[in-house]
């Protein structure tokens, strides 16, 4: 989610040594007279500094004081949208101070403008496609698309569009801008590799009209709406098309289901999914599932299985050849 550049490591058994150690880090290149700052911290096994908010405050004080002494001005704090994000990791009395190169976490590709129920993080969706062996040269169907994350990530990958090409990064807001010409060249090279359209059809369906509306808006923001065909439809109506490709999905796993019958038992929906897959002979199925009941109901031998984390929720990625 982030790339952290280490700016210093030192011993910090207590607040005073944390303050003193932080002051030794030279952070001048990041800060001009109007640069804003935020500090976050994680702490483990340090009895004097077990409160992460307090540790972050000490680091902020040290940085502000050091910059005032060295440069004659002090940065303002902006916790919501800082120019520079500093991160402290404290384990026992080992302190490491980093500057966050990403700014906004890297899973935010900059295209999620509309929400629906339980969206996947963009980076998790990309991981599902990569681990599931999904290929650009084959048709792709997500029959339970929600906000469209899997279909959009697949369209971006199929068109060779680099993740985050449309967003800004933390390192673009530093006072020292000497690295930006190199970044501009790298960005141009990434832009030059984009394909004009996806090589194969991509279909995104969902039972809910509102989900399809969100998915379409997100695809427009990602610049891939033309590559995806959107349909409001029940998975029960999905039929195989030629040539076969990949059916990729992240089915509901919670208690309440969308649609006309929220009380419909999950096992009925999973039985419908199993029946649909029975009819998709020759296809691959790549399924990210937050509920082990689905794998039991499918009663198929998977080719690949991975344990992944969907935020705090454990999920299984299962790949089947149908
Ligand atoms: C966990 S969400 C998918 C989230 C999605 N991967 C995303 O990133 O936004 C499951 C989706 O399945 C849809 N769904 C539930 N029952 C369905 C059915 N019978 N047919 C088609 N879609 C269905 C829901 O409307 C919901 O959008």
């Amino acid at each position: 989610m982030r790339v952290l550049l280490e700016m210093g490591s030192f011993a910090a058994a207590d607040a005073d040594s944390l303050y003193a150690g932080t002051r030794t880090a030279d952070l001048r290149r990041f800060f001009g007279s109007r640069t804003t700052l935020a500090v976050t911290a994680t702490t483990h096994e340090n009895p004097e500094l077990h409160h992460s908010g307090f540790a972050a405050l000490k680091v902020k004080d040290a940085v502000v004081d050091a910059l005032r002494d060295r440069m004659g001005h002090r940065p303002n704090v902006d916790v919501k949208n800082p120019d520079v994000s500093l991160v402290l990791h404290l384990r026992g009395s080992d302190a490491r101070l980093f500057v966050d190169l990403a700014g906004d976490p890297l899973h935010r590709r900059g295209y999620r403008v509309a929400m629906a129920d339980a969206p996947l993080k963009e980076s998790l969706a990309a991981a599902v496609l990569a681990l599931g062996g999904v290929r650009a040269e084959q048709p792709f169907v997500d029959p339970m698309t929600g906000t469209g994350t899997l279909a959009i990530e697949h369209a971006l990958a199929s068109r060779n569009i680099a993740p985050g090409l449309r967003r800004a990064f933390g390192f673009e807001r530093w006072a020292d801008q000497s690295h930006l010409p190199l970044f501009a060249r790298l960005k141009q090279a990434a832009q030059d590799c984009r394909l004009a359209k996806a090589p194969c059809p991509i279909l995104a369906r969902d039972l809910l009209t509102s989900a399809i509306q969100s998915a379409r808006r997100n695809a427009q923001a990602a610049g891939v709406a033309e590559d995806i065909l959107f349909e409001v439809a029940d998975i029960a109506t999905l039929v195989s098309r030629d040539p076969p490709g990949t059916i990729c999905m992240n089915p509901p796993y919670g208690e309440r289901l969308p649609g006309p019958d929220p009380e419909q038992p999950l096992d009925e929906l999973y039985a419908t999914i199993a029946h649909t897959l029975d009819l998709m002979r020759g296809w691959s199925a790549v399924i990210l599932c937050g509920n082990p009941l689905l794998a039991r109901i499918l009663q198929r031998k998977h080719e690949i299985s991975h344990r992944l984390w969907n935020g705090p929720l454990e999920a299984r990625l299962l790949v089947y050849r149908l």
Side-chain angles (χ1 to χ4, degrees):
M1 303 293 177
R2 300 179 182 283
V3 180
L4 302 178
L5 176 66
E6 186 166 322
M7 297 309 299
S9 61
F10 45 87
D14 55 23
D16 288 343
S17 49
L18 177 61
Y19 178 89
T22 303
R23 282 199 64 136
T24 61
D26 186 356
L27 302 172
R28 280 174 294 182
R29 62 181 286 209
F30 306 113
F31 290 93
S33 57
R34 312 176 86 142
T35 313
T36 57
L37 161 75
V39 183
T40 54
T42 62
T43 96
H44 297 278
E45 296 160 14
N46 185 318
E48 292 287 318
L49 291 166
H50 56 87
H51 190 290
S52 58
F54 176 68
L57 197 64
K58 274 286 141 195
V59 169
K60 188 271 293 172
D61 287 347
V63 170
V64 165
D65 292 351
L67 289 171
R68 188 199 52 219
D69 293 352
R70 287 175 185 168
M71 304 179 80
H73 48 77
R74 36 174 303 154
N76 285 324
V77 171
D78 180 346
V79 287
K80 286 223 173 90
N81 185 24
D83 296 320
V84 177
S85 295
L86 296 175
V87 178
L88 172 77
H89 285 178
L90 195 56
R91 184 169 286 280
S93 57
D94 292 335
R96 297 171 73 195
L97 184 66
F98 303 88
V99 61
D100 177 351
L101 303 189
D104 247 2
L106 289 171
H107 72 82
R108 295 205 191 130
R109 318 279 215 215
Y111 63 72
R112 183 162 285 161
V113 291
M115 289 301 269
D117 234 13
L120 288 179
K121 282 209 167 95
E122 298 85 328
S123 46
L124 178 60
V128 166
L129 301 171
L131 292 169
V134 178
R135 305 217 323 263
E137 318 78 58
Q138 288 186 336
F140 177 95
V141 179
D142 178 358
M144 305 184 122
T145 204
T147 52
T149 324
L150 288 164
I152 293 169
E153 286 294 324
H154 176 64
L156 290 167
S158 299
R159 286 184 52 194
N160 229 353
I161 298 177
L165 199 55
R166 288 179 166 227
R167 56 161 271 170
F169 295 93
F171 60 76
E172 294 176 73
R173 291 168 64 174
W174 298 347
D176 174 1
Q177 306 247 305
S178 56
H179 52 292
L180 291 191
L182 169 61
F183 179 57
R185 285 203 298 284
L186 292 170
K187 202 165 165 175
Q188 188 59 52
Q191 274 157 354
D192 293 346
C193 320
R194 288 174 302 181
L195 301 179
K197 62 185 181 66
C200 267
I202 302 172
L203 178 59
R205 308 183 1 145
D206 200 284
L207 187 60
L208 298 184
T209 309
S210 57
I212 289 297
Q213 282 166 346
S214 298
R216 192 179 274 120
R217 283 183 57 208
N218 290 332
Q220 274 158 356
V224 294
E226 302 287 298
D227 298 296
I228 305 174
L229 180 66
F230 294 96
E231 282 177 10
V232 176
D234 193 312
I235 189 169
T237 65
L238 187 68
V239 288
S240 180
R241 300 164 201 216
D242 231 17
T246 305
I247 174 167
C248 182
M249 64 178 141
N250 166 222
Y253 46 84
E255 310 257 286
R256 288 181 68 78
L257 297 178
D261 182 8
E263 305 301 334
Q264 181 199 19
L266 206 52
D267 53 359
E268 274 180 22
L269 176 64
Y270 288 178
T272 306
I273 294 175
H275 180 65
T276 305
L277 296 185
D278 286 342
L279 304 176
M280 304 289 285
R281 212 158 291 149
W283 287 65
S284 300
V286 176
I287 304 178
L288 181 68
C289 186
N291 189 327
L293 179 65
L294 178 60
R296 290 203 292 278
I297 289 183
L298 290 184
Q299 288 190 328
R300 286 176 175 274
K301 199 170 151 19
H302 54 256
E303 197 163 80
I304 301 174
S305 162
H306 286 284
R307 200 159 66 116
L308 297 176
W309 292 92
N310 185 7
L313 301 174
E314 187 178 333
R316 280 254 154 217
L317 173 69
L318 299 166
V319 180
Y320 301 92
R321 304 276 164 235
L322 303 179

